[in-house]
Structures are given as structure tokens and as C-alpha cells.
């Protein structure tokens, strides 16, 4: 082997990492209490603005969850002097962007534009912030859209899992509510939005951030001119009940009969963002499950092949947090996956991570950091986080140092202190009857819920259904038809066997029809039906496949996409 | 509903919203953003749409800083374009291979893209997926894309890892070490991508058919993703043959942008890339010319699960290097960018004849293709949609667009270009396009002048020149079963 081959054989080692230049923002407070933060960055003629309020979804009135979100979304839908369409057109003419949105802890208005349009977009931002009109028709449209998206969310297992985790982990703390209810949407009125906007949008609870090609003094003047008359008012405080302490391991199963996958989230009580244990926890999370090279991924995906991906999540918000481990796994390996999850959750506390693991985690965290700060939008988002979550102003300057100084011992200490597998909440969205036996080995206390979040009885365990189960088709079947609108439609399929073969019918909220031309092939059948729907008859085809007491299939109305259904033999 | 032929979508990545930043949002935080980068290794359906502008000003106001670069060509033919930018300790590395789906071997449509996937498998000194580990594990990212004319591999990493990535790119340029198992499993991944991008979306086949029908002789008629039959026919032996034909230093351009020292970069290039031999064989090149269209051509196709009829219209346009390219980009933007664009305003908002409408100037190396696509609104006929699309074309032929519309379009193009120039990989993408497709890296600094020179009269002129009935192809894409007969003559 010659020399050339030698140096080609192994990847060359990295050089020491370069210095990162983090700009120090200029900061001042206007007489009305509005904090202004400016970073002059003249590399490109662009400017980014953020106006961030320290009130978010957590500050929704208890009877009106979702109000902050709806209020934020409506800001750009009309002001005293501009219609929704005029706002959109002005933004487009400049090639700019203007958005508003809310999270748990804060609400943000964001704008970006060519620097030549910096003043114009700022004026527009002031208009939508200070003088939104919440037009009746836009309020109505937003309410309709919110209801529609709520239905679509309910069809997503990941949403159902997050909803249940939030509910059990946060209890009376408002992080427990993650979406509005149909009632809260109905009860939201224009008057309520106007009043809520006035009470939460106060300058002394907000920070205005500017990053880009601006002159600091001019920017300050402009902001003072546009936002200076905005009167100071009482800031809404963070006065929330503590999330409950956990004392034992409990499983919460959201039953979706026929699910091919179990969506698993295992959650422990975490910390808020300013907790001094944050950096050791961040390192722990990186070793445990932040990336595709972390322990959970290597175990559950690479070695076992149970899932497309297994990760941990460090959820640290302003007033509370959770530590989560998640994966979507095939139904029959739900129990095996829990075994591996708990193996990893136990191990992270029982033994120190290796030297290589901690050094890889530090490389990852210090490496991703400058890439994240490369753009104006990337930097301004970090500054928003610092201001809204109460982090120190030199947070970015100290970040890499904080990461570097975490030790293996500290990682083990925080793992023991917080992960606590014996007190974890196990949330599973999946086929309750099939996962029940698999789950009982890992948790003695199990609660069952339907997809609307209502408690339900424990289903009869069926064990893991295998494909080879041959079954009779005849009988009555309770099915859920999945529609493109998100909600499932319940249907009953009756199949009768007689000397000439099968006959039967479908009854549902959508309509009903008699089956014709039923053909059977082993555990599968096909049929046509004429479906009576709101007075009109539509031709449809239905096909299904039975395994044990379970049926999956599709129903196709003429000229429309096929709808999937699944369900069980009715009692 | 987006019309699928939406080229910038595949180019504009929205990644690296990291978990810390998400943590304070109540919406479920995506768990696997980094892992998703593998999914982004997708085919760009057609040519690269890059809006190349730089240099002076827009309406005499916007100044864009010059992008200074360094050029070098090695004895083995490898071209290197590099630009130092020391403001952030990161670096972007891209290798542009001048081979695209137009170079797919006979009977192997989709092969260039399938091959792109193979480049992430094992090489002489790297095991499978090692490139992902070398980037993602240190906080960076990597990916690749294939289009009609090029295949591009890219990485962004902390700058102290530049040498490692040059080593890795040199290793996969020198040779692959793919086995049958790897080949089969990756071919299945690509077939799944075909199902997800062509078969599953209701209008996935529309663009597929449009591309197939729009060219009669040129290999652009083969969609980048290929066909299941041709993918099945592909064999392991084809992989080595394709690498030998096209993955050679004299067919590659290395672009490096970010925090490095030029002298240091040169020594690494000398060490890792200089020794790679240039093959003696000639580089195969497509020489087929697409004939001019002589009369309007019409087709009707049917597809399963098509909720509403769709109409696609194409016109052949000159190659990306033509002087009319900028005017065509401006025309596309006026027709199609945003809710105040002409197509959206007329067809979707005013007439409510379509639920979506778009225009795309697909500027390619050999011959370009301008698309107009629309999906009918419920209860509307494709004939009405076609008439409305053509009426908008006619308006732009009969009268010049207003200066305000032209200014808006230029503002939109300049803004998206500036945003791209913020990052090292965005700068590298611009340099790579200018070098490989436009033949001159300095186009990154001169194209803004071309864009600013576009007048309302230019837009009217290109609309008259290319958007005539002889140069038109019309495709109706309808739900099954076929209700209307093809109206072709």
C-alpha cells in the first residue's frame, strides 16, 4: 500500500473550531416601556423585524382556549384603514413578508423586506399591531377555518398523543390545553377579540427587535414615532398553578381500532427554560435521542427496525416543561419498543455516558449553533427566544462555553433527577385491543380514551392479530370511515351469507345502501352498492379484508378518491 | 392546492428549525428535522430555476454587494469556484456534475436520479451513509438533487471540517463500491419516491404527461423520476458504467463558499482532487435538437383519483443562456407570483373558474419550456379554464404590463435572490448555476443588470414571440372514466 492510499483511507481530523462572532445588540427602552433591540447588519440590503409580546396561548382566558391564536391570525386581516386584501397587496408589491402567530409563551409579529422598503413595512406593522379592526366577515372565516383544522388535527395520531401528554403532564397549568374547543370557537366574538387585544398587547410587555441593513439611530426614531404613543398598561402576569408531581407509572391509551401503528410518547416532568440544569439536560437529550446518531435511534431503528425514527424531546418553556421519548412503531412491536425505551431511559441514569458520546454531543451542539445564526431571520429568532424566555442577554456569547463545560457526571445527575422511568406517563395512540397485553408487562395502571379524549372502557384484549387468521366474513361490523375532512364517520356493515353467496348493507351518517355483486376471495370481499346520500343515489364500490375480529378496506364513491375504513366485529 | 410543477419548491429548503427553538411552541415539534434531509434527496421535476441577479440596483435603490470568487481548473479538468466569506464559521461545499436525466442511458429513464442515491452508499473508503454521519453528526447537513441537466451534491458544515468533506467528495468521485443489496434497496426507495410524487398526488401525473408530450425528439421528454419499468430494468452493472461515463473530474465543478483560507483550500485540493485521473474516453453529450413546433397539439389524459379537471399548456422557449431568459422570468412572476398575480387574480379570485393557476418558466440548457397550469374550480369545464388562461396570455400580448406590475415582479425576484445570498449554500448554488449552466461564474454579479434592463415592452415582446398557437401544446387531465374524446387533429 502506498502513501497515497494511506491518507485516503481515513477521514482527516477536523481543525480546531473557528471563533464565532456574535454581534452585541443595541438595547434601549422607550418611555412607554417598549424595549427596542437593534443589530446593524449591512452585509445585504435586507431587514427583519419582530414585535414579540410576553403573552401566548398560556394566557388564554380559561373559558376561551385558542383566543390568542385567533387574535394573532386576525391582525393582518384588516385594520381601521386597510382591508385584508389591501394589506396582502401592499406586502406583495414590496416582495416582503408579514405574519403574526402565537405559541405557548409569546405572540410574535414578523416582517422582512428589502431595506429600501424598511420604513414602509414598519408602518404597516404598526398599523396591524395598534389598529386591527377584526372585521366581522374575517372573524367568521377564521372561526370556520379553525374548526376545519381542528377536525383535521384530530385525525392525526401525533396530535392526539401531544394533546394527551399535555393534559396529563400539566394538569391545572394552562400548557395542558393545546387547542380550542368547538364551544370556545363558537363563543369567540369580535367584541371579545377587540377587548383581548387591548388587554394583552401592551408596550411594556413587548420587545421590538430589528436585525439588518438599518441605521440604528434612524430605526430608533422610526419605532418611537410609530409606537411611542401607544399607552403603557398593566402587563398580564404568568400566574399559573404548578404542574402536578408524578408518583407512579401510568399508561394512557387513545384507542384507534385498526391502527397499523402505535404512536408512543413516554414523558417525565421537566424544567422551565431558565433552570440551571438546562445545559446538562440538553447534553443528556443529545446523547439520548436528539439526532439520528443518538441512543434511541440507534437502538429502536438501526438495530431493531421497529420504527422509522425514535427521538427524545426536551420541552422547556417559560414556566414549565417535559422530557419526552417518542416513536411511531408497528402495532405488533409496541411491547418490544417499550422494553427498549425503558432500557434506554433506565441506562441514561444508571451509568455515565461514554467519553465519545459526550464529545460527539458537544460537536453536534456547537456545530449546529453557527449554522442557525447565519441568516438575519435565524439571528432574530434567537434574540426573540432570549427576550421572551427570560434568558441572559449574553446567552449567545456564552452558549458554546456552557455546552463545553458540562461533565459526564452532571449528565447522569440530571438524568436521575428528572427522567424517573418509574413515574413516567406512557401515552399510546393505537389499537387498544391489540396493544393491551403488550402494555400490561410494562405498566399495571392503564386508562383508555377515545379520540375525542373521553374515557372509555378497557377493550377486550385480542392479542396480536396475524395475517393468516382465516375468518368468516358474515356478521355485523362497526367501521370508522376516514374522510378527507379529518373526522371519521361511523358506519355499520352487515354481511349475510346464504345459499347464493353474500348479501348485505352499509349504514352510516353519510348515507346507506344495499350491497350487490358481492364476491369473496378468502378473507377478502368486494361489492358494489348504490349509496343513498342526501336524497341522491351514488354508485360506489366497497372492498374489505378480515383478520380475526378486525376489518380494513376502502369505499369509493364514483369519481372521488377512495376512503379507507377500519373497524371491528360488533358485539 | 399547489400545482405540482412548482420548481422553486424543490430548491428552497426550509430546514434547521432546531428543537430548542421549537420547544416553546405548543404545536408538536417535529422530531426528525435532521433525518428529513434524507427525504429531501428528491428529483427536481425539471430544470433549475434560479433567479440570478446581482450587481447594481433595483429602481436605482437597492445595492447588492459583489460576490468575489476565485476560479481554478486542474489538469484533470476539475473546475473549482471558491468564495471566502469569513463572517460565520461555516462552509458550504457543492459538487456539480454536468449530467442530468437528459443523459439517462437508453431504456433506463430515471437512472441519473437513481445513481444520485447510490452516491450515498459505500465508496472505496466510506461505508454506506457515511456522508450523512460526517455532516449531520456535527450539526451540519447534506443532500443532493437531480434535474434535467445537472446532479448536485451539497454539504454545509462547521468550517473546521472542510478538509474532511473534500476528502469525502474526492472519495466518491474516484469510485463507488456498491453491492447488489444496496442497489436493490435504494432502487426500491426511488420507486417509492415515484409512487409518492407521481402516483399518489392527485395531479402528480399531470406534469409527468406534460413533460413527456412537450418534447418530441429531445431526451427532456423523459421525466427525471423515470418509469417503474425502466427502474426495474436497471442493473448493478449500469451503476459502474454510469460512474465511468459521467462522474469524472472533467465533468465536475467544485464550489466552496464560506470560512476558509484560499491557500489552505488549494493545498487540500492538490492533495485530494488533483491525483484523480481524467479518463481518456470522450464525454457523451446529448446532441439531439428539438424541432420547432409547427402547429398546436392537443391531448387528453385520464387519471385515477383526480378530483377536478386540470389543464396544462406549454410553449417551447429558448435555452437558459438566451437573452430573452430574464424577460421570461419576469413574465412568469407577473403571471404567477402571489395573490395579486394576473392568473390568481383573474382565474381564482375574479372568475372563480379555477381553484389554482400557475405559470413556470422552466429554463433549461438545451431548450426551455414555459408552463401554464390550472385546476378547474368545482363544476367548471376544462374548456373554460383553457379559454381564461389564453385570455390572460392575450392581454399581455395586446398591451404592455404596467410599470407598477413590472416593479413588483422585480422586487419579488430581487428579494428572493437576496435571501438566497444570505447563506453560504445559497451563494454556492448561485455560483454553481452560473458556472455550469450559464458558462460564466461572474453572471452572479452581472445578471441584476439584465433583470433591470427588462422593460414592459420586452415582456410584451416575448409574450408575442413565444406564446403563439403554433408553439402551443394543450393537455386536459381529467378524472376517469374518460368522458371527452381527445381533440387532437
Amino acid at each position: 500500500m502506498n502513501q497515497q492510499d494511506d491518507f485516503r483511507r481515513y477521514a482527516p481530523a477536523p481543525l480546531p473550531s473557528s471563533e464565532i462572532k456574535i454581534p452585541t445588540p443595541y438595547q434601549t427602552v422607550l418611555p412607554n416601556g417598549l424595549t427596542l433591540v437593534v443589530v446593524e447588519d449591512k452585509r445585504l440590503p435586507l431587514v427583519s423585524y419582530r414585535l414579540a409580546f410576553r403573552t401566548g396561548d398560556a394566557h388564554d382566558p380559561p373559558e376561551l382556549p385558542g383566543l390568542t391564536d385567533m387574535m394573532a391570525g386576525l391582525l393582518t386581516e384588516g385594520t381601521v384603514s386597510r382591508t385584508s386584501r389591501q394589506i396582502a397587496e401592499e406586502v406583495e408589491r414590496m416582495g416582503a413578508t408579514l405574519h403574526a402567530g402565537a405559541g405557548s409563551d409569546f405572540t410574535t409579529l414578523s416582517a422582512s423586506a428589502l431595506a429600501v422598503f424598511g420604513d414602509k413595512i414598519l408602518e404597516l406593522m404598526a398599523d396591524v399591531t395598534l389598529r386591527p379592526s377584526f372585521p366581522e366577515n374575517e372573524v367568521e372565516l377564521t372561526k370556520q377555518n379553525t374548526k376545519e383544522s381542528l377536525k383535521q388535527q384530530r385525525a392525526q395520531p401525533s396530535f392526539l398523543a401531544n394533546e394527551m401528554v399535555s393534559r396529563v403532564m400539566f394538569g391545572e397549568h394552562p400548557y395542558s390545553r393545546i387547542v380550542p374547543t368547538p364551544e370556545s370557537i363558537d363563543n369567540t366574538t369580535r367584541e371579545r377579540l377587540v377587548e383581548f387585544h387591548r388587554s394583552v398587547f401592551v408596550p411594556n410587555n413587548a420587545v421590538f427587535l430589528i436585525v439588518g441593513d438599518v441605521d440604528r439611530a434612524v430605526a430608533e426614531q422610526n419605532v418611537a414615532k410609530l409606537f411611542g404613543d401607544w399607552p403603557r398598561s398593566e402587563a398580564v402576569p404568568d400566574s399559573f398553578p404548578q404542574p402536578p408531581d408524578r408518583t407512579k407509572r401510568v399508561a394512557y391509551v387513545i384507542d384507534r381500532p385498526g391502527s397499523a401503528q402505535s404512536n408512543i410518547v413516554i414523558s417525565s416532568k421537566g424544567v422551565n427554560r431558565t433552570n440551571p440544569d438546562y445545559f446538562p439536560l440538553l447534553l443528556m437529550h443529545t446523547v439520548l435521542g436528539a439526532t439520528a446518531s443518538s441512543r434511541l435511534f440507534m437502538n429502536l431503528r438501526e438495530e431493531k427496525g421497529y420504527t422509522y425514527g425514535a427521538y427524545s424531546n426536551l420541552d422547556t418553556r417559560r414556566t414549565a416543561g417535559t422530557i419526552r421519548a417518542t416513536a411511531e412503531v408497528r402495532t405488533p412491536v409496541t411491547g418490544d419498543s417499550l422494553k427498549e425505551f425503558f432500557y434506554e431511559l433506565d441506562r441514561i441514569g444508571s451509568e455515565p455516558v461514554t467519553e465519545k458520546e459526550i464529545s460527539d454531543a458537544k460537536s453536534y451542539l456547537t456545530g449546529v449553533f453557527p449554522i442557525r445564526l447565519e441568516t438575519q431571520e435565524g439571528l432574530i429568532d434567537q434574540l426573540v427566544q432570549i427576550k421572551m424566555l427570560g434568558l441572559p442577554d449574553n446567552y449567545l456569547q456564552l452558549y458554546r462555553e456552557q455546552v463545553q463545560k458540562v461533565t459526564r457526571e452532571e449528565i447522569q445527575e440530571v438524568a436521575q433527577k428528572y427522567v424517573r422511568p418509574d413515574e413516567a406517563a406512557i401515552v399510546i395512540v393505537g389499537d387498544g385491543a391489540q396493544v393491551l397485553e403488550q402494555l400490561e408487562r410494562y405498566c399495571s395502571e392503564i386508562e383508555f380514551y377515545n379520540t375525542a379524549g373521553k374515557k372509555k372502557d378497557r377493550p377486550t384484549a385480542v392479542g396480536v392479530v396475524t395475517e393468516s387468521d382465516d375468518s368468516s366474513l358474515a356478521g355485523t361490523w362497526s367501521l370508522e370511515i376516514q374522510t378527507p375532512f379529518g373526522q371519521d364517520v361511523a358506519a355499520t356493515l352487515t354481511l349475510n351469507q346464504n345459499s347464493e353467496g353474500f348479501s348485505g348493507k352499509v349504514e352510516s351518517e353519510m348515507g346507506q345502501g344495499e350491497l350487490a355483486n358481492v364476491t369473496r376471495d378468502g378473507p377478502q370481499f368486494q361489492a358494489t352498492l348504490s349509496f343513498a346520500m342526501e336524497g341522491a343515489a351514488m354508485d360506489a364500490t366497497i372492498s374489505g379484508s378480515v383478520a380475526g375480529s378486525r376489518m380494513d378496506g376502502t369505499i369509493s364513491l364514483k369519481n372521488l378518491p377512495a376512503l379507507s375504513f377500519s373497524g371491528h366485529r360488533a358485539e | 392546492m399547489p400545482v405540482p410543477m412548482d420548481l422553486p419548491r424543490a430548491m428552497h429548503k426550509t430546514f434547521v428549525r432546531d428543537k430548542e427553538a421549537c420547544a416553546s411552541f405548543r404545536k408538536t415539534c417535529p422530531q426528525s428535522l435532521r433525518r428529513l434531509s434524507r427525504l429531501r434527496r428528491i428529483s427536481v421535476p425539471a430544470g433549475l430555476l434560479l433567479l440570478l441577479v446581482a450587481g447594481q440596483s433595483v429602481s436605482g435603490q437597492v445595492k447588492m454587494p459583489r460576490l468575489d470568487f476565485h476560479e481554478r481548473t486542474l489538469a484533470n479538468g476539475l473546475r473549482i469556484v471558491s468564495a471566502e466569506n469569513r463572517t460565520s464559521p461555516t462552509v458550504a461545499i457543492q459538487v456539480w456534475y454536468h449530467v442530468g436525466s437528459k443523459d439517462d442511458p437508453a431504456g433506463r429513464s430515471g437512472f441519473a436520479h437513481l445513481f444520485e442515491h447510490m452516491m450515498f452508499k459505500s465508496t472505496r473508503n466510506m461505508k454506506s451513509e457515511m456522508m450523512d454521519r460526517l455532516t449531520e453528526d456535527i450539526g451540519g447537513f447534506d443532500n443532493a438533487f437531480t434535474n434535467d441537466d445537472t446532479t448536485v451534491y451539497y454539504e454545509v458544515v462547521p468550517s473546521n471540517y472542510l478538509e474532511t468533506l473534500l476528502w469525502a467528495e474526492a472519495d466518491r468521485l474516484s469510485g463507488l463500491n456498491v453491492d447488489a443489496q444496496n442497489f436493490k434497496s435504494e432502487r426500491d426507495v426511488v420507486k417509492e419516491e415515484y409512487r409518492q410524487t407521481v402516483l399518489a398526488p392527485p395531479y402528480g401525473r399531470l406534469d409527468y404527461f406534460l413533460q413527456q408530450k412537450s418534447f418530441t425528439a429531445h431526451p427532456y421528454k423523459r421525466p427525471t423520476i423515470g418509469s417503474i419499468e425502466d427502474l426495474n430494468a436497471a442493473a448493478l452493472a449500469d451503476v459502474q458504467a454510469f460512474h465511468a461515463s459521467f462522474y469524472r473530474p472533467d465533468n465536475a465543478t467544485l464550489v466552496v463558499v464560506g470560512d476558509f483560507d484560499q491557500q489552505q483550500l488549494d493545498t487540500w485540493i492538490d492533495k485530494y482532487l488533483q491525483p484523480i485521473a481524467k479518463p481518456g474516453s470522450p464525454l457523451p453529450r446529448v446532441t439531439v435538437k428539438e424541432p420547432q413546433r409547427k402547429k398546436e397539439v392537443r391531448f387528453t389524459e385520464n387519471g385515477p383519483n383526480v378530483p377536478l379537471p386540470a389543464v396544462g399548456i406549454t410553449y417551447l422557449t429558448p435555452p437558459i443562456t438566451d437573452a430573452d431568459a430574464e424577460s421570461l422570468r419576469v413574465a412568469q412572476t407577473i403571471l404567477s407570483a402571489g395573490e395579486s398575480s394576473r392568473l390568481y387574480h383573474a382565474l381564482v379570485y375574479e372568475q372563480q373558474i379555477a381553484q389554482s393557476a400557475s405559470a413556470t418558466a422552466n429554463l433549461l440548457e438545451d431548450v426551455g419550456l414555459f408552463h401554464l397550469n390550472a385546476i378547474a374550480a368545482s363544476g367548471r369545464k376544462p374548456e373554460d379554464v383553457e379559454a381564461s388562461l389564453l385570455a390572460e396570455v392575450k392581454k399581455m400580448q395586446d398591451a404592455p404590463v404596467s410599470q407598477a406590475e413590472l416593479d413588483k415582479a422585480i422586487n419579488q425576484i430581487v428579494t428572493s435572490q437576496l435571501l438566497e445570498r444570505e447563506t453560504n449554500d445559497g451563494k454556492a448554488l448561485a455560483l454553481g448555476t452560473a458556472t455550469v449552466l450559464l458558462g460564466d461564474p461572474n453572471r452572479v454579479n452581472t445578471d441584476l443588470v439584465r433583470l433591470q434592463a427588462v422593460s414592459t415592452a420586452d415582456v410584451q415582446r416575448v409574450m408575442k414571440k413565444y406564446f403563439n398557437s403554433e408553439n402551443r401544446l394543450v393537455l386536459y387531465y381529467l378524472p376517469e372514466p374518460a368522458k371527452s374524446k381527445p381533440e387532437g387533429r
Side-chain angles (χ1 to χ4, degrees), chain A residues 8 12 15 21 43 45 57 69 85 92-93 104 162 178 278 290 292-293 311 364 372 374 376 399, chain B residues 18-20 26 28 34-35 63 65 86-87 90 125 133 137 160 164 167 339-340 345 422 424:
Chain A
R8 287 196 179 283
L15 302 175
K21 296 164 210 143
R43 281 175 292 169
D57 301 326
D69 247 357
R85 191 170 167 75
E92 268 186 28
R93 266 205 299 280
S104 294
N162 186 27
I178 66 164
Y278 176 77
S293 292
Y311 298 93
Y364 170 77
R372 184 203 290 155
E374 215 173 7
Q376 288 183 5
Y399 180 89
Chain B
D18 83 331
K19 279 178 279 288
E20 274 187 279
R26 71 189 175 128
T28 311
R34 254 144 244 296
R35 206 61 203 171
K63 300 259 185 285
R86 313 298 285 259
T87 55
T90 66
N125 299 303
R133 302 279 58 80
D137 287 0
N160 52 322
T164 316
W167 167 85
E339 297 199 351
S340 62
H345 189 76
E422 274 200 284
N424 288 328

Side-chain angles (χ1 to χ4, degrees), chain A residues 9 52 64 94 166 196 333 384 413 504 553 571:
Chain A
R9 209 165 181 90
L64 286 181
M94 295 183 265
S166 305
F196 189 64
V333 296
V384 167
E413 274 167 34
E571 293 306 322

Side-chain angles (χ1 to χ4, degrees), chain A residues 511-526:
Chain A
Q512 57 234 329
E514 298 281 330
L515 299 191
N517 311 317
V518 184
T519 58
R520 180 191 182 171
D521 178 10
Q524 295 170 4
F525 79 97
Q526 281 195 336

Side-chain angles (χ1 to χ4, degrees), chain B residues 106-142:
Chain B
R108 297 283 186 274
S109 74
F111 195 82
H113 171 239
L114 172 61
F115 183 86
E116 173 218 306
H117 283 242
M118 304 317 301
M119 285 283 276
F120 290 83
K121 297 299 170 192
S122 60
T123 64
R124 195 163 298 148
N125 299 303
M126 293 199 289
K127 53 188 199 309
S128 246
E129 321 294 341
M130 185 164 162
M131 196 57 120
D132 293 343
R133 302 279 58 80
L134 287 177
T135 50
E136 292 174 17
D137 287 0
I138 50 171
F141 57 87
D142 70 324

